[in-house]
Amino acid sequence: MVIVGAGPAGVALALLLARQGVPLTLVEASPTSARQFRGEALMPSGLAALAAMGLLPLPA
Ligand SMILES: Cc1cc2nc3c(=O)[nH]c(=O)nc-3n(C[C@H](O)[C@H](O)[C@H](O)COP(=O)(O)OP(=O)(O)OC[C@H]3O[C@@H](n4cnc5c(N)ncnc54)[C@H](O)[C@@H]3O)c2cc1C
């Protein structure tokens, strides 16, 4: 299985699938992480999603 795009949605899906033992390849079109600035805050729904995936607390 191939997961396209290492944005927040693709990475989250990849993590959930990998935890279930689903083979996958995470690919990303952008050659670097230096891309247009995208935000400065996590909304409550985003934090809830991270918590549901067991990813809290966040690193400082
Ligand atoms: C200016 C701006 C400010 C924002 N501020 C905030 C904020 O403060 N807080 C917040 O929570 N959200 C914010 N957002 C929204 C947030 O960035 C998006 O909701 C989030 O990035 C969406 O994630 P995604 O994984 O759906 O898509 P994306 O982040 O777009 O990820 C998709 C990835 O797929 C890759 N891709 C696409 N096509 C291919 C292909 N064919 N092959 C391989 N890779 C491919 C792209 O390079 C990209 O990295 C902001 C957005 C913008 C534009």
Side-chain angles (χ1 to χ4, degrees), residues 4-10 27-30 35-43:
V4 175
V27 300
E28 174 52 50
S30 176
R35 63 181 197 180
Q36 182 182 6
F37 173 77
R38 288 199 185 176
E40 57 190 11
L42 282 169
M43 299 297 110

Side-chain angles (χ1 to χ4, degrees), residues 11-38:
V11 169
L13 178 60
L15 173 64
L16 296 174
L17 290 174
R19 284 176 173 173
Q20 296 298 315
V22 177
L24 61 91
T25 301
L26 185 64
V27 300
E28 174 52 50
S30 176
T32 73
S33 60
R35 63 181 197 180
Q36 182 182 6
F37 173 77
R38 288 199 185 176

